[in-house]
Amino acid sequence: MSTQMFEGRGHAAVYQKYRFAPGKELQQTILAYLQEKKAIPAELVVDVGCGSGQGTQFLAEHFKKVVGTDISEAQIQEARGTLSRPNLSFLVCPAEELPFQDASVDVLTSFTAAHWFDMEKFMKEANRVLRPGGCVALSTYTVDMSLCYGDCSQKLTKIFRECWDTILKYSHNRLKFVLENYKEIFEALPFPDKKRITDIYDKIPMTVEGVVGYMESASPYQTFMKEDPEAAKSLLQETEKRMLETMGVSSRETPVEFWVRHVCVLGCK
């Protein structure tokens, strides 16, 4: 069974507000692979562990029918409440028990979620639902992140990473899959035609509020909040204050460039 970390309504709301959609480089990497493997056009695309639907929305812009699934009812409620397209729908279900017929899915994706799945059961399920020639795209952004703003980018990144390092002390052991660049997930994919790309860099337009909100949405921070709410809140408040002072601005809405590195595991059945 999937590890359940994003179930609460409050966490789901923060997730919907601050999690960003897949960046352009990641999008192009996935679409180019699917084009190469002749998985485009696809009749049915399923986005597993879709959360509040940021990646699912991207898929709906390119494919005929897209279904987002997640084990968290609160996350699915957020997705349904914010996304509306005639070719897009959402279902509550575990990643390891997908309600689709054998060989009925053209493309199976997961954005920053596959490391929470029961890998052996999920891979069997992926093999079951994918049609012959169907494709898988499993991606995550890594902890390799940086901030750019004027001539203070280095200082700003240092402040961000100090905060992030504190938050990561509360990480679930499943984040090892991310720290290992999805190597184990790549090895578990039961298709001979597969590849792993570890150097996809994307610039995500953000604000100071957005960067702090992203850290708040992270599962280790939510664990930190449960264990020591005052310390957790204080950490983010102090980090935001230091960022604004370093940038020489007062508004939380000040734009900043947020650079992330993606890892993507791609495979074709």
Side-chain angles (χ1 to χ4, degrees):
M1 184 66 69
S2 303
T3 302
Q4 297 173 235
M5 294 290 292
F6 303 86
E7 295 266 0
R9 292 183 64 184
H11 190 185
V14 170
Y15 201 92
Q16 192 283 322
K17 184 175 182 180
Y18 292 116
R19 284 299 174 108
F20 42 86
K24 290 183 179 179
E25 289 299 319
L26 177 60
Q27 291 183 23
Q28 290 171 5
T29 298
I30 293 172
L31 292 174
Y33 179 81
L34 297 179
Q35 194 79 51
E36 175 193 340
K37 298 301 177 182
K38 297 180 170 53
I40 295 177
E43 290 294 314
L44 174 60
V45 179
V46 177
D47 185 30
V48 187
C50 68
S52 47
Q54 285 84 347
T56 326
Q57 183 176 22
F58 145 63
L59 295 168
E61 295 168 0
H62 296 275
F63 298 102
K64 185 174 181 179
K65 181 180 180 182
V66 179
V67 180
T69 75
D70 202 280
I71 199 169
S72 167
E73 186 172 346
Q75 291 281 3
I76 292 298
Q77 286 178 350
E78 287 290 340
R80 287 173 175 160
T82 54
L83 303 174
S84 178
R85 295 178 70 100
N87 64 330
L88 178 60
S89 60
F90 294 95
L91 295 172
V92 177
C93 68
E96 304 83 1
E97 299 173 21
L98 299 173
F100 301 97
Q101 294 181 351
D102 295 359
S104 64
V105 176
D106 297 290
V107 177
L108 200 65
T109 66
S110 181
F111 298 96
T112 319
H115 46 280
W116 297 113
F117 305 161
D118 181 316
M119 202 49 55
E120 183 179 356
K121 291 181 179 179
F122 170 70
M123 291 302 180
K124 286 181 179 178
E125 191 70 339
N127 193 37
R128 180 186 69 79
V129 302
L130 276 176
R131 66 165 175 79
C135 292
V136 170
L138 311 174
S139 67
T140 185
Y141 35 79
T142 69
V143 297
D144 184 11
M145 303 173 183
S146 59
L147 298 173
C148 290
Y149 184 85
D151 60 359
C152 64
S153 300
Q154 191 171 352
K155 290 182 180 178
L156 207 56
T157 297
K158 184 174 183 290
I159 293 168
F160 169 81
R161 288 185 174 170
E162 286 174 357
C163 180
W164 196 229
D165 285 346
T166 300
I167 291 170
L168 287 176
K169 292 176 183 177
Y170 296 86
S171 295
H172 192 282
N173 60 12
R174 282 189 169 270
L175 288 183
K176 69 179 182 180
F177 295 113
V178 177
L179 298 175
E180 295 170 355
N181 291 314
Y182 268 25
K183 183 174 183 291
E184 195 169 333
I185 290 174
F186 170 74
E187 291 171 350
L189 188 64
F191 307 144
D193 185 349
K194 61 183 179 180
K195 64 180 178 178
R196 179 173 65 114
I197 306 171
T198 62
D199 57 351
I200 305 167
Y201 290 90
D202 263 309
K203 179 178 69 174
I204 310 295
M206 296 277 263
T207 62
V208 173
E209 179 191 5
V211 172
V212 174
Y214 164 73
M215 290 190 282
E216 182 185 356
S217 76
S219 60
Y221 181 80
Q222 295 295 315
T223 300
F224 187 12
M225 272 288 291
K226 289 176 183 176
E227 293 190 15
D228 193 341
E230 291 305 316
K233 292 176 185 176
S234 177
L235 175 66
L236 289 191
Q237 290 171 353
E238 182 61 25
T239 297
E240 181 177 293
K241 180 182 176 184
R242 291 175 66 198
M243 288 174 63
L244 292 173
E245 288 175 349
T246 299
M247 295 165 66
V249 299
S250 58
S251 173
R252 305 175 73 222
E253 300 302 319
T254 302
V256 62
E257 291 180 3
F258 190 51
W259 283 90
V260 299
R261 179 172 66 87
H262 296 280
V263 171
C264 192
V265 170
L266 300 158
C268 184
K269 182 176 177 181

